[in-house]
Structures are given as structure tokens and as C-alpha cells.
Amino acid sequence: MTDGPEARGSLPADGAFTADRLLDEATAALSAHGVPSPRVDAALLLAWATDTTRGAVEARAVIGGAVGAAHVQRFRQAVARRCGREPLQHITGVAHFRALSLAVGPGVFVPRPETESVAQFAIDALAATALPAPVAVDLGTGSGAIALALATEVPHAVVYAVEQSADAFAWAERNNAALGSPVRLVRGDLGDALPELDGTVSVVVSNPPYIPDAAVPVDPEVRDWDPAAALYGGPDGLDAVRRLVVTARRLLTPGGTVVIEHAEQQGAALRALLSAARFRSPETHRDLTGRDRTTTAIAPATGA
Ligand code: GLN
């Protein structure tokens, strides 16, 4: 923070704006444009515009602290973008995922909170192997979110991530580099990826595209900004899942775990696909909002 009235939170000079007034103004505008959490977004954008934390913004609002003109302008421009339903994370350039702050923007899927619980199953399975360097593969890594969570939270693991989109791959590379490149990134299709690892992988995890082609999302942030390749999975949404189940069978060692994110209504279909591929113990798990979100299964013995 800079010196001056802003930092001390003293009464604003004539013509200056107070944080609480700016937040009220932005909340009303965002609300009028249908933004689902207008007050939170207003605070996060003011934090971004003033290079501080949301907590510091809230504190400044309580005491009626002033915000300087340059910051006001930056804030209002950001609010205008958000009113156009550009994702908050594209405006700030950051998506938070578990303990990570990931760079995101055009061309990459913004990691979602519900995927944090998907990653947890992969982390637990990876941490539970007795191997000194268990191998994990994240198929369709996008920004690198799941793979980087695995690599940073299970540091003795060897984590690979596969991504086909050139745009998304660039974001994954940037995020990986920012963390010291703990993930081995591979550009390619999830169907024929990493043949050299066949039969050696302990965990295969994926948040594939799974929305049925006709079920176009209502939220403009998703519909207009997330890449279509990260969202849509054919007529029933399961085209990529069917291919990744085959890849998971090829990659996993007997007893290895596959972890797949899916839509709330797809649990039974996921379990059926995994059973048909001779996976053992398919189980569907709920996310923190109580919705079916993740199906896990265990790879069978060789030849089964
Ligand atoms: N959960 C995502 C959404 O809300 C869907 C992403 C996907 O298909 N993997 O849009």
C-alpha cells in the first residue's frame, strides 16, 4: 500500500470516493447485470484494482476510507467488464484452486471449486500407494490445476499432464513454470497419450468435457468464455469419458485408481462404463454441494 490518506483510512478529501460507496455502486451495477454474487465480486475487483486483499478492502469500507482516482478508474473499468459477464478470473487473471493461484485467461477453462473435491480423491489415492515415486496422469489438464495440485500436495509423486489445445497448453506451461515445473506436460490427445507409461500408472484423473452438446450452459461466463473443447462431450456428454476410460485401462497398473469428474446426472452411466471396461468397485461421490461429481474405480489384474 502507498502512503497518504488511503493507507491511513482517514476521511476522504473533497471529490474522492470512499470504498463503501464504490462497493455499493458496483454491487448495484453487477446485480442489475445478473452477476450471481455481486457484493463479493465488487470487493474482489476493488481488491484487485487497489492491489490489496479482500479483507483490506472490507476494512477500508467499514471505516469509510478513500480510494484514489487512478484506482477508482481501474476499478470501474473492471466492474464494467464484469457487468458484461466476463469471468471474474479473466479480469483479475487469477483462479484459486486448493492452495494454488493459477494464471487464467482466454483459451483456458477456469478451474472450479467443485473440482477441488475431485482432485482430493486423486491426491488420497496417490498418497496411499507404498511406492517411493508413484506416477499420476491428468488427462485434459487445461490450466494445469489438478496436475499441479497433485504435484505440490504429493511431492514424491511423478505427475504427467496431457492437454491437446495449444491455447490451454500455454496457460498450463506458464502455471507449471511459476511453480518450478513440478509437472511433466505433454501436448496431445487423451486417446493415444503416453504409451511409454502403459501399465505403470497409479492414478489417472480427469475433468473431461462432459456437457451434452445440446445442454448449452446458461451462465455467460461459461457459455461465452470457457473453451468449447473443455465443455462439450457429444450428444450424451460422454464421448471424451468413453475414450479416457480406455486410456485409463491402458495406463493404470493393477490396483491403480481412476478418478473422473462428471455432471450430477451421469454417475450411473460412469459406473456402467467403468464396469464394462472391467474396472473394479466403481463408486460415485458427492461434492460439497451434495451433487454427484466424481466416480472412482480400481484397475483389475492384468488379463482380467
Ligand atoms: N462443471 C463445468 C461447468 O460448470 C463443466 C465442465 C466440464 O465439462 N468438465 O461448466
Side-chain angles (χ1 to χ4, degrees):
M1 284 216 289
T2 52
D3 285 328
E6 216 176 304
R8 294 198 301 274
S10 59
L11 287 176
D14 280 350
F17 290 92
T18 59
D20 54 328
R21 210 176 116 195
L22 285 168
L23 288 178
D24 287 349
E25 168 194 297
T27 303
L30 293 167
S31 181
H33 286 85
V35 172
S37 48
R39 181 61 174 68
V40 173
D41 283 28
L44 288 168
L45 289 172
L46 187 53
W48 171 79
T50 58
D51 297 313
T52 186
T53 63
R54 182 178 161 199
V57 160
E58 297 294 0
R60 192 177 293 178
V62 167
I63 61 172
V67 178
H71 284 158
V72 170
Q73 194 189 3
R74 192 172 188 227
F75 174 61
R76 286 188 166 154
Q77 283 167 353
V79 170
R81 287 170 67 184
R82 189 72 190 97
C83 283
R85 304 300 296 271
E86 186 171 347
L88 176 80
Q89 298 89 342
H90 281 219
I91 300 168
T92 63
V94 180
H96 299 284
F97 186 80
R98 297 180 68 92
L100 304 172
S101 297
L102 301 164
V104 293
V108 74
F109 179 84
V110 174
R112 307 282 205 269
E114 58 267 32
T115 305
E116 296 178 326
S117 69
V118 180
Q120 188 69 56
F121 289 100
I123 287 165
D124 291 346
L126 198 53
T129 77
L131 300 168
V135 178
V137 176
D138 175 13
L139 295 172
T141 196
S143 64
I146 297 177
L148 287 164
L150 295 180
T152 53
E153 296 186 49
V154 191
H156 66 285
V158 178
V159 181
Y160 290 81
V162 179
E163 177 54 52
Q164 183 162 46
S165 151
D167 289 340
F169 191 82
W171 288 105
E173 275 186 314
R174 177 172 162 185
N175 286 316
N176 194 34
L179 290 163
S181 299
V183 167
R184 300 176 191 201
L185 281 173
V186 180
R187 175 103 194 275
D189 178 69
L190 60 79
D192 53 14
L194 300 166
E196 67 276 19
L197 298 182
D198 282 1
T200 67
V201 175
S202 291
V203 175
V204 171
V205 58
S206 182
N207 174 15
Y210 53 70
I211 299 176
D213 287 347
V216 176
V218 177
D219 289 339
E221 292 86 350
V222 179
R223 187 188 63 220
D224 301 339
W225 294 88
D226 280 320
L231 297 178
Y232 303 107
D236 67 352
L238 297 174
D239 283 359
V241 172
R242 279 183 279 270
R243 298 176 64 237
L244 92 85
V245 165
V246 174
T247 300
R249 268 289 262 138
R250 167 168 70 71
L251 290 173
L252 286 169
T253 189
T257 304
V258 63
V259 179
I260 306 173
E261 176 170 331
H262 53 79
E264 190 178 2
Q265 313 80 358
Q266 292 170 333
L270 262 286
R271 295 193 299 279
L273 280 171
L274 288 162
S275 294
R278 302 193 170 280
F279 275 95
R280 306 293 189 237
S281 314
E283 269 188 77
T284 299
H285 317 268
R286 293 178 174 176
D287 64 20
L288 291 174
T289 69
R291 296 181 172 88
D292 281 352
R293 178 65 56 199
T294 310
T295 294
T296 56
I298 306 300
T302 317

